[in-house]
Amino acid sequence: MTDPCEGAELTEARKEFPPPPSPHPRAEVVELHKRTLLAEIDRTGPSGHRRTRAGRRVAVALTFAAVASTAAIAVMVTESVTPRAPGAQPASRASVQLLDRAARVAAGDPADSPRDAQFAYVNVTGHTTSLSETATGEMKQAREDESYEQWTSVDGSRRTVQRERGGPRTLLEAPGKGSFGSPTYRFLAGLPTDPEEVLAAIYRETKLNHGEGSGSTTGPDQEAFVIIGDLLRMSVAPPEAAAALYRAAARIPGVVVVPSSVDAAGRRGVAVARTHDGERSEWIFDKGTSRLLGERTVLLKDSAWGKAGTAVDSTAIIGSGFTDKPGERPPRTFDGGREKGTGPDGQAWASDNSDSKERFLR
């Protein structure tokens, strides 16, 4: 059945995101990126500046380049929680409907009961864009693989383990009680399940570094959208917490729907998105199941990072679940609307969560 909002939202999306006015990057944009690049080179060495999401896997790096990587009921923007700047628009009706569907699907998932000694597992594939300065002073772009697996202690008492691109495991700091930048399952389980309350907590976080007087050009609204996207992508959240986060995102000004998008694994879907400084952050959902597939960041105008229309960051959630120790993969994982695993006979299987019909993977 065709979504009656899709045609109208497509028209809205075209109005919201017109073609870039010029095929050439503005001089001030190039100069800004150049200054930032040189400062980053001074700080990190000659490898150049990388649009990496790696820092967000464990600690959200709240920087100028941080962009992410997403109702049958009406949702009002509450001024006390999300005061809008003059001219700021509330989330579009279609984005509210999509996020409410995602919330209802998440809330209907069976609740896990992981032990404190276990680890939450996520498997993400994707890429990011890096910049380096050539000998002639020009900016050179390069695509870098950002695929990783991560094991995070359920209660935060043990060190997080990452494995990038199938390589050796890396030990990171234990997250402890957890935070919005370094979430654990127990931290997420302790969040308010009321969308207004959880959004208020997120805004208290974002206003510290991106509020009035901070000098940040990102702003609390964009950072709130980024933080929620990171929480949903890089961790395993209890059903009620995930539902609250989706509904909280529907209260952020400027959120719209992009009718067609594609994640890093090539899966097509519909996205909720927010634009900041010429870059559109998208959360991509499966059109059939309304489950989160991945994220990407798309340039809406030419810049030092690439041409308009380029996906400078892109990720896909390949699987998630719980294990008894880091390095293991869970026997059952979730992948974009399907549960999959290996049976006692070693045969791979998958179940479409929308109709519970099992089928063998080919």
Side-chain angles (χ1 to χ4, degrees), residues 160-286:
T160 297
V161 176
Q162 286 181 1
R163 179 160 56 203
E164 296 187 4
R165 299 177 291 278
R169 284 179 283 174
T170 301
L171 286 175
L172 304 171
E173 292 298 320
K177 294 182 179 180
S179 65
F180 287 118
S182 185
T184 65
Y185 184 86
R186 294 287 179 246
F187 172 81
L188 294 171
L191 290 178
T193 56
D194 179 270
E196 290 287 353
E197 292 182 16
V198 72
L199 187 60
I202 291 170
Y203 268 98
R204 285 194 293 271
E205 180 91 0
T206 65
K207 288 176 182 178
L208 290 175
N209 295 298
H210 299 275
E212 186 176 353
S214 67
S216 170
T217 60
T218 304
D221 292 337
Q222 181 66 16
E223 278 306 315
F225 188 77
V226 170
I227 284 178
I228 293 174
D230 287 341
L231 292 175
L232 293 167
R233 170 181 50 83
M234 72 183 203
S235 56
V236 182
E240 289 189 351
L245 289 169
Y246 284 127
R247 291 190 170 113
R251 289 160 163 79
I252 298 175
V255 178
V256 298
V257 160
V258 177
S260 181
S261 186
V262 60
D263 71 7
R267 300 175 298 192
R268 292 201 168 271
V270 59
V272 296
R274 195 175 191 281
T275 296
H276 173 74
D277 195 24
E279 298 183 343
R280 186 175 67 214
S281 303
E282 301 177 0
W283 304 350
I284 307 164
F285 293 87
D286 183 276

Side-chain angles (χ1 to χ4, degrees), residues 35-329:
R35 289 199 306 268
T36 305
L37 169 65
L38 293 176
E40 185 71 11
I41 290 174
D42 289 340
R43 186 178 70 83
T44 62
S47 59
H49 183 57
R50 189 183 186 203
R51 284 187 61 95
T52 179
R53 303 175 70 92
R56 290 189 177 277
R57 296 178 202 155
V58 175
V60 177
L62 300 176
T63 68
F64 86 102
V67 289
S69 355
T70 159
I73 60 174
V75 179
M76 301 299 294
V77 177
T78 302
E79 293 293 333
S80 61
V81 176
T82 57
R84 299 200 302 273
Q89 297 296 315
S92 72
R93 182 176 179 180
S95 69
V96 172
Q97 291 174 335
L98 174 54
L99 287 166
D100 184 68
R101 287 199 298 271
R104 286 186 280 117
V105 169
D109 285 339
D112 293 298
S113 299
R115 302 185 305 277
D116 285 346
Q118 289 186 298
F119 289 79
Y121 168 86
V122 292
N123 185 354
V124 175
T125 189
H127 72 265
T128 190
T129 301
S130 66
L131 274 181
S132 60
E133 188 172 19
T134 67
T136 61
E138 297 176 333
M139 295 298 167
K140 181 181 179 181
Q141 305 149 8
R143 176 175 290 195
E144 299 186 13
D145 190 348
E146 279 283 286
S147 303
Y148 68 94
E149 294 173 281
Q150 180 168 298
W151 293 262
T152 305
S153 171
V154 166
D155 67 354
S157 63
R158 289 190 278 180
R159 297 178 71 175
T160 297
V161 176
Q162 286 181 1
R163 179 160 56 203
E164 296 187 4
R165 299 177 291 278
R169 284 179 283 174
T170 301
L171 286 175
L172 304 171
E173 292 298 320
K177 294 182 179 180
S179 65
F180 287 118
S182 185
T184 65
Y185 184 86
R186 294 287 179 246
F187 172 81
L188 294 171
L191 290 178
T193 56
D194 179 270
E196 290 287 353
E197 292 182 16
V198 72
L199 187 60
I202 291 170
Y203 268 98
R204 285 194 293 271
E205 180 91 0
T206 65
K207 288 176 182 178
L208 290 175
N209 295 298
H210 299 275
E212 186 176 353
S214 67
S216 170
T217 60
T218 304
D221 292 337
Q222 181 66 16
E223 278 306 315
F225 188 77
V226 170
I227 284 178
I228 293 174
D230 287 341
L231 292 175
L232 293 167
R233 170 181 50 83
M234 72 183 203
S235 56
V236 182
E240 289 189 351
L245 289 169
Y246 284 127
R247 291 190 170 113
R251 289 160 163 79
I252 298 175
V255 178
V256 298
V257 160
V258 177
S260 181
S261 186
V262 60
D263 71 7
R267 300 175 298 192
R268 292 201 168 271
V270 59
V272 296
R274 195 175 191 281
T275 296
H276 173 74
D277 195 24
E279 298 183 343
R280 186 175 67 214
S281 303
E282 301 177 0
W283 304 350
I284 307 164
F285 293 87
D286 183 276
K287 288 186 177 182
T289 65
S290 297
R291 292 189 182 275
L292 185 65
L293 297 176
E295 299 179 39
R296 70 174 186 173
T297 303
V298 179
L299 298 178
L300 298 184
K301 57 186 178 182
D302 292 356
S303 75
W305 295 102
K307 296 291 186 181
T310 301
V312 287
D313 296 319
S314 184
T315 62
I317 304 168
I318 302 303
S320 62
F322 295 94
T323 67
D324 289 334
K325 60 183 180 180
E328 290 183 342
R329 293 188 176 96

